[in-house]
Amino acid sequence: MTIDWKKEVEARKDDLISDLEALLRVKSEREDDKVTPDAPFGPGPRDALKKMLSFGERDGFVVKNVDNYAGHIEFGSGEETLGIFGHMDVVPAGDGWDSDPYEPVIKDNKIYARGSSDDKGPSMAAYYGMKIIKELGLPLSKKVRFVVGSDEESGWGDMDYYFQHEEKPDFGFSPDAEFPIINGEKGNISLLAHFKTTNDGTYTLNSFKSGLRPNMVPGSATAVVELPAESDFADFEAALTAFTDEHPVTATLSKSGKTVTIELVGKSAHGAHPSAGINAGTFLALFLDHFAFAGGAKNFLHVAGAYMHEDFDGTKLGVAYRDEKMGELTMNASLFNFEKNATDASINMNFRYPQGTTAEKLEAGLAETIGAYDVTTTREPHHMLPHYVPVDDPLVATLLSVYEDHTGQKGYEQIIGGGTFGRLLERGVAYGAMFPGFTDTMHQANEFMDLDDLFNSAVIFADAIYRLAK
């Protein structure tokens, strides 16, 4: 049977866009201060999950909501289950948008909104692939289950809970990356560097805040500093102006007596690609490290400014490592927190590491290089080991074949630093929805998805699901 998948997607383009716009309007940022038994990650992720599941109910699929942690949309029958994994939660919108991040705007054949490319747009494209197969009544020999998550951008607590109650699919993919395929993902761990808050220098660091999530390059940073005297303000202001003239950041400065507040702006980016951003936290630390702070405050600023600043591969921290297949380790200094009267200050270092090194080796390297600054490290609980599915696995081979048939381009394996739900399964990969040469706006202001990419990915997903499950 020959099916014109492109024609089928064309017939449903308006409905696809309408459903996607409804999903994008849900502000599905995790909000821990609004968690309830009914909303385990806050109301936004819950509402987006329920919205996505409602499409499955409308279209006649078997739908299950697992206590608002996650859910699934399913059809077909058979002994094996093909899993498709998407997520409805998004990273915080942050600043710098040209439009409301939760009111989708279509401009220049692109749809702009938080979540448009990560991961609501790709998820909707994959869902419509399932929908086409169901509506055409095509025969399947396997179950097809779209698993919908709501905590992918944070701790994956959604999947931990879901798989306590539901069996894992046998194989599958996550539409949360790029084509031709992602069949390998680096390990992912966050290590916290802990500092004392002693603060007896000529200058006093009252507070230092930067970052929104471990998987985001901080786009802004704020510090409150007490100067030795109010008369030192002019020199401090001149030094800040000279610094911003020399570096790719902007800053604003305000004062109240001897106390000054510095707000510095860089550029956010995905934490898997720290060199694509301008880390406002390390730049602000680099600036302040030139002043006469002391104790824990000095150590905090010096380690951030001298060791973490633009240390994208961990060389200055003494943990650099490269694997021939998986490439280089990357490090993103992501969350900075210093309060003068607190018992502890910390900086979150998010590492994406290849096979061949380990969390233990990272901790040992950090102890050797920054331990002298009275630094201790602890691990965050969410730790993912390196993951790889061989290119000759039938799953990978089939998905590459589908990609080649629809694009005319040769498929090839890829290994990334990002972590996707594809790694939930031993035979799991990430597949689409971005095409080679795409502009990466994930985790950035003015996130968008190209509409041609959206529709073309739906074509590929439909054919891929059918070939894997027919």
Side-chain angles (χ1 to χ4, degrees):
M1 178 185 296
T2 301
I3 303 162
D4 188 340
W5 299 107
K6 186 173 183 179
K7 177 182 177 182
E8 297 298 335
V9 171
E10 288 277 348
R12 296 165 175 82
K13 285 169 62 173
D14 290 345
D15 290 342
L16 195 164
I17 289 294
S18 178
D19 286 347
L20 177 56
E21 288 179 328
L23 200 56
L24 291 169
R25 290 190 178 100
V26 182
K27 183 181 178 181
S28 51
E29 300 176 11
R30 176 169 171 159
E31 294 180 283
D32 291 340
D33 60 335
K34 297 181 180 178
V35 165
T36 66
D38 182 59
F41 309 111
R46 175 202 60 195
D47 294 347
L49 169 65
K50 294 174 76 171
K51 173 64 72 173
M52 186 68 194
L53 295 179
S54 75
F55 299 141
E57 293 171 344
R58 175 198 67 192
D59 296 330
F61 289 92
V62 174
V63 175
K64 184 173 184 179
N65 184 337
V66 183
D67 300 329
N68 290 334
Y69 280 81
H72 63 245
I73 301 168
E74 183 179 276
F75 76 122
S77 62
E79 294 183 0
E80 288 188 293
T81 300
L82 164 64
I84 304 162
F85 293 83
H87 67 90
M88 297 298 105
D89 59 307
V90 297
V91 298
D95 300 322
W97 287 76
D98 296 333
S99 57
D100 183 340
Y102 293 105
E103 182 53 49
V105 172
I106 294 177
K107 181 176 64 175
D108 300 328
N109 203 46
K110 300 176 178 68
I111 185 164
Y112 290 83
R114 176 55 90 220
S116 55
S117 63
D118 184 17
D119 181 40
K120 294 176 180 178
S123 290
M124 190 58 66
Y127 172 73
Y128 264 74
M130 288 177 56
K131 178 177 163 71
I132 289 168
I133 295 168
K134 180 178 180 296
E135 290 178 350
L136 293 179
L138 300 177
L140 303 180
S141 65
K142 300 176 180 67
K143 291 180 182 178
V144 179
R145 176 180 294 178
F146 193 113
V147 181
V148 186
S150 64
D151 188 41
E152 194 270 353
E153 298 291 3
S154 296
W156 290 28
D158 53 349
M159 292 296 104
D160 291 340
Y161 189 89
Y162 179 81
F163 286 123
Q164 290 171 10
H165 297 80
E166 302 292 325
E167 292 186 0
K168 282 191 175 184
D170 297 280
F171 63 99
F173 67 88
S174 174
D176 189 20
E178 59 190 83
F179 293 116
I181 202 167
I182 304 295
N183 58 314
E185 299 182 11
K186 295 176 185 178
N188 186 336
I189 189 170
S190 284
L191 299 178
L192 287 181
H194 297 273
F195 302 82
K196 294 179 180 177
T197 56
T198 51
N199 210 345
D200 53 354
T202 306
Y203 287 73
T204 301
L205 183 62
N206 289 345
S207 68
F208 188 113
K209 301 284 186 181
S210 184
L212 296 172
R213 289 285 189 275
N215 57 357
M216 297 176 70
V217 176
S220 62
T222 302
V224 179
V225 172
E226 189 174 331
L227 307 177
E230 189 171 355
S231 59
D232 293 310
F233 177 77
D235 289 341
F236 190 87
E237 183 178 38
L240 182 60
T241 299
F243 184 84
T244 56
D245 286 344
E246 184 180 350
H247 297 97
V249 292
T250 60
T252 57
L253 184 64
S254 59
K255 68 182 286 287
S256 176
K258 295 194 301 179
T259 302
V260 296
T261 300
I262 312 106
E263 296 182 5
L264 193 143
V265 176
K267 177 188 175 185
S268 184
H270 197 297
H273 310 288
S275 61
I278 299 171
N279 193 315
T282 64
F283 269 103
L284 183 53
L286 180 69
F287 168 69
L288 292 176
D289 190 32
H290 292 91
F291 295 90
F293 294 91
K298 179 64 175 179
N299 290 337
F300 179 92
L301 295 171
H302 183 67
V303 169
Y307 288 88
M308 298 180 185
H309 179 62
E310 296 188 335
D311 189 33
F312 307 126
D313 65 356
T315 296
K316 288 187 282 188
L317 287 170
V319 296
Y321 186 84
R322 178 178 177 81
D323 173 73
E324 184 176 350
K325 181 175 285 291
M326 286 194 160
E328 292 180 339
L329 170 149
T330 63
M331 189 282 299
N332 175 42
S334 56
L335 298 170
F336 299 75
N337 186 19
F338 186 102
E339 288 287 348
K340 181 175 65 173
N341 296 320
T343 57
D344 178 67
S346 65
I347 302 174
N348 184 309
M349 298 169 286
N350 182 236
F351 292 94
R352 314 295 173 105
Y353 67 93
Q355 57 191 8
T357 190
T358 64
E360 290 76 16
K361 290 179 180 178
L362 296 179
E363 290 171 323
L366 293 173
E368 187 172 340
T369 52
I370 61 176
Y373 297 97
D374 207 10
V375 181
T376 59
T377 61
T378 60
R379 298 187 195 184
E380 289 285 78
H382 185 50
H383 180 199
M384 295 183 289
L385 299 173
H387 173 77
Y388 180 72
V389 182
V391 72
D392 59 358
D393 184 284
L395 168 67
V396 178
T398 299
L399 293 176
L400 287 177
S401 179
V402 174
Y403 170 81
E404 291 173 351
D405 289 347
H406 287 281
T407 65
Q409 303 295 318
K410 179 65 177 174
Y412 49 88
E413 69 172 345
Q414 295 186 98
I415 297 167
I416 62 168
T420 75
F421 279 164
R423 71 196 304 155
L424 287 165
L425 306 179
E426 184 176 346
R427 294 183 62 224
V429 299
Y431 188 59
M434 305 305 164
F435 289 84
F438 75 99
T439 301
D440 185 359
T441 57
M442 295 181 184
H443 297 198
Q444 300 177 40
N446 300 316
E447 177 184 350
F448 70 82
M449 185 165 187
D450 184 279
L451 292 182
D452 289 339
D453 287 355
L454 179 69
F455 301 136
N456 289 335
S457 64
V459 170
I460 291 175
F461 290 144
D463 193 4
I465 294 167
Y466 184 54
R467 290 196 206 183
L468 291 169
K470 69 180 180 180

